[in-house]
Amino acid sequence: MPIAAVFQGGHALHDKNAGPFGFEPSGIDIVLLTHAHLDHCGRLSLLCRQGFRGEIIPASATRDPARPVLPGSAHLHE
């Protein structure tokens, strides 16, 4: 499973989406963003909030589609 994946399935999974990753985000240097589906990149903002300070490298075809997805997912985590 991608490390920043959003768990889908309703309100019962809200706590899981807001919970810890099971590893220390500050220990990661790079996140490769292969596509902009919310279920695969929706917790990137949480990853950053929990200590990730590395580089997020999107695939060239992912950069533009991710622009509206990432702020929306950050809003959901606020």
Side-chain angles (χ1 to χ4, degrees):
M1 173 185 296
I3 63 167
V6 168
F7 301 98
Q8 297 181 19
H11 296 290
L13 295 175
H14 172 75
D15 290 341
K16 196 168 187 177
N17 281 325
F21 287 93
F23 57 87
E24 184 56 48
S26 64
I28 298 173
D29 296 320
I30 296 171
V31 170
L32 299 175
L33 184 56
T34 59
H35 60 287
H37 293 163
L38 179 64
D39 63 328
H40 289 270
C41 67
R43 293 200 326 153
L44 282 174
S45 60
L46 184 62
L47 187 73
C48 292
R49 188 179 329 145
Q50 291 186 5
F52 173 72
R53 297 295 180 259
E55 186 175 2
I56 299 172
I57 302 174
S60 60
T62 302
R63 185 172 285 121
D64 288 339
R67 289 185 194 278
V69 174
L70 296 177
S73 68
H75 177 72
L76 291 174
H77 288 291
E78 288 181 337

